[in-house]
Amino acid sequence: MTKELKAALSFYKHSFPIEVRETESVFLQSLRYAETQKLNNYHFIAGYLNEELTSIVTAHYLADVNAGFIVYLVTNPKIRNKGLGAKSLQKIEEVLQQDSVHAGYKSLKTIVLETEIEEMVHTEKEKEDCVKRTKFFTKNGFYKVEDFLYFQPPIHDGGVDVPLHLFMKQRTKQEITNSDVKRIVKAMYVEKYYHGNGIEKGVLNTSYSKMNLEKSELFCD
């Protein structure tokens, strides 16, 4: 592990509470998995300003559905009024567009991400942060997928499914249909939560079935 990656992981560790924080092994597994893929990809990008770590953004490229899945975006709270969040989004969007072209598409179709449901937060500070995130993503071209029941599977042993909002950013003139959303969620579960996190198939099947996406299970074996 490089010095820069160690610093970035330490920054990440101190940016999220343990309940929603993934272990370092998940990032390393995702990077190793991406090296074996021809079209699917994974990115862990750290931003710097005058040699100071300013931001981290991670994302998967899902080739089958031509979509990017932003998992984490965090900025240095000590550095304000620099537009770090917007710059990080712009950078990862450029990288995911390159993945799309490499996969044989003219353009990336959409970018998806998960955000907290305001009613599920516990404190006024968390509620305030949730509202800020929603405004930030909306300002940067994302919209909330309406009337879609989504669960993030348990990312820790003994954890529970977490109801979240899906936000998307359309990058082509082609409409994102409900069928498209279902296919994207399926790809998220397989590429991120199975191959990246290593969550057991049975656990993912249980979470997947709660969303009433299709009659068959995510994994049939």
Side-chain angles (χ1 to χ4, degrees), residues 109-134:
K109 185 173 184 179
T110 187
I111 300 174
V112 62
L113 53 85
E114 306 161 333
T115 67
E116 301 96 328
I117 294 176
E118 189 174 329
E119 292 77 14
M120 300 295 292
V121 301
H122 304 291
T123 67
E124 285 301 316
K125 178 63 167 61
E126 290 178 349
K127 182 177 180 180
E128 182 182 336
D129 290 342
C130 183
V131 171
K132 285 181 178 179
R133 275 190 288 273
T134 296

Side-chain angles (χ1 to χ4, degrees), residues 20 116-117 120 150-155 160-165 207:
V20 298
E116 301 96 328
I117 294 176
M120 300 295 292
Y150 176 78
F151 288 96
Q152 181 191 62
I155 61 174
V160 297
D161 303 304
V162 180
L164 296 174
H165 289 310
S207 300

Side-chain angles (χ1 to χ4, degrees), residues 27-116:
F27 298 102
L28 299 177
Q29 167 62 20
S30 297
L31 289 168
R32 286 193 295 267
Y33 174 69
E35 290 178 350
T36 69
Q37 300 300 295
K38 292 182 178 180
L39 300 180
N40 291 319
N41 211 344
Y42 173 74
H43 303 281
F44 186 113
I45 299 176
Y48 286 85
L49 179 65
N50 299 325
E51 299 185 356
E52 183 175 11
L53 185 60
T54 59
S55 63
I56 292 174
V57 58
T58 72
H60 292 260
Y61 174 67
L62 313 172
D64 286 347
V65 291
N66 189 25
F69 174 23
I70 296 176
V71 182
Y72 289 108
L73 191 160
V74 58
T75 59
N76 191 334
K78 297 178 182 178
I79 304 176
R80 301 186 181 278
N81 302 319
K82 296 289 186 180
L84 299 180
K87 291 177 181 177
S88 297
L89 273 180
Q90 181 181 0
K91 179 61 179 179
I92 196 62
E93 189 167 338
E94 292 172 355
V95 171
L96 291 168
Q97 169 64 19
Q98 293 171 4
D99 288 334
S100 177
V101 173
H102 176 70
Y105 299 98
K106 290 184 178 180
S107 176
L108 182 68
K109 185 173 184 179
T110 187
I111 300 174
V112 62
L113 53 85
E114 306 161 333
T115 67
E116 301 96 328

